[in-house]
Amino acid sequence: MTTTRRAASAAAPALVLLLATSMPGTPALAGDTPSVDGASVYIINLRDGDTVTSPVTMLFGLKGMGIAPAGVEQEGTGHHHLLINKALSGSEFDEPMVADDDLIHYGGGQTETMMELPAGTHTLQLVLGDHNHVPHEPPVMSEPITVTVK
């Protein structure tokens, strides 16, 4: 894991809480920001079953919606979250996604990343989050892919 990734992961939970509780008129645990019909998110440059070397570069694709940074409430937009060896389930779709080593926020509106991944097999999945890091309704998620890092 890179130093940049650690710093972003460490600060993100506090940022999520601040954003989720400071937006006037916005419920903190909404889970009801609508997505656009037919919207999709995907990893452009990796395919299921690929073998890669670290650091791994990932390019994020989005169709049917736009990108806006965390904290910016604009209809039809969101920002990327990368799940590594993790899946969301149940009530996690109605709450802000909390950053940790396996859930990386790209709240600045980033559409690509380069990260160190340890050797082995990893599952990767993108989830679009609203201005409060909550998945849209219905969620805009990529199909999970599995890559092997040499």
Side-chain angles (χ1 to χ4, degrees):
M1 176 179 352
T2 65
T3 304
T4 303
R5 183 171 159 202
R6 281 183 205 200
S9 293
L15 178 61
V16 169
L17 181 59
L18 174 66
L19 290 174
T21 58
S22 66
M23 300 297 295
T26 303
L29 302 178
D32 61 0
T33 301
S35 58
V36 174
D37 286 340
S40 62
V41 64
Y42 50 95
I43 299 173
I44 296 170
N45 63 316
L46 299 176
R47 301 284 180 253
D48 191 43
D50 279 355
T51 298
V52 297
T53 57
S54 199
V56 179
T57 298
M58 284 175 260
L59 306 175
F60 308 150
L62 178 62
K63 178 181 172 191
M65 291 182 71
I67 296 292
V72 175
E73 186 175 4
Q74 185 175 351
E75 186 176 327
T77 67
H79 61 279
H80 295 290
H81 297 80
L82 177 65
L83 304 176
I84 304 169
N85 303 322
K86 179 180 186 131
L88 297 180
S89 63
S91 66
E92 291 178 305
F93 287 103
D94 299 321
E95 302 169 357
M97 293 177 275
V98 178
D100 59 26
D101 287 343
D102 298 325
L103 196 158
I104 311 303
H105 289 266
Y106 295 95
Q110 302 95 316
T111 58
E112 63 182 78
T113 191
M114 183 176 4
M115 68 174 50
E116 295 286 338
L117 285 174
T121 302
H122 301 281
T123 302
L124 306 171
Q125 185 176 29
L126 287 174
V127 179
L128 201 66
D130 70 7
H131 58 286
N132 286 328
H133 300 279
V134 179
H136 292 79
E137 179 58 42
V140 180
M141 302 169 43
S142 68
E143 289 295 322
I145 65 168
T146 300
V147 298
T148 301
V149 178
K150 291 198 264 184

